[in-house]
Amino acid sequence: MGGSGGRRTQHERDAITVEIGYALVSAAFTAAVVFGTAAGPALLFQLPDGLEWLLLRAGLTVAPALFAVRVVSVLVRFTRSAQPSQPGRTKPDS
């Protein structure tokens, strides 16, 4: 965040902490929704064994991958947007 390479201010550290928290909570929520959508029918209904296995494995595979992708995308977007185009000036689109 600080382009000078020096120590971060308290405001910058707080912003990073909030963004990390947002990334983790939103990723956990998104992964839980996707897992529930994929594996929910297998947990709620009596389905054939092969279909239950497939739905559970799909949920257990997609949810963690989505969690990781969501965390990384939120944090990358934050680091890109936190740096102004010119030092001391706001971006023209803000």
Side-chain angles (χ1 to χ4, degrees), residues 11-80:
H11 174 72
E12 290 172 329
R13 290 193 307 266
D14 290 346
I16 291 168
T17 302
V18 168
E19 198 66 22
I20 289 170
Y22 169 74
L24 292 173
V25 170
S26 69
F29 178 76
T30 305
V33 168
V34 168
F35 177 79
T37 302
L43 299 172
L44 294 175
F45 304 114
Q46 190 68 23
L47 299 173
D49 289 339
L51 185 57
E52 279 188 15
W53 182 86
L54 180 67
L55 291 174
L56 285 172
R57 294 297 172 235
L60 289 172
T61 302
V62 173
L66 183 63
F67 179 88
V69 168
R70 176 71 180 158
V71 168
V72 169
S73 68
V74 168
L75 295 179
V76 166
R77 185 179 64 222
F78 175 71
T79 58
R80 286 185 183 162

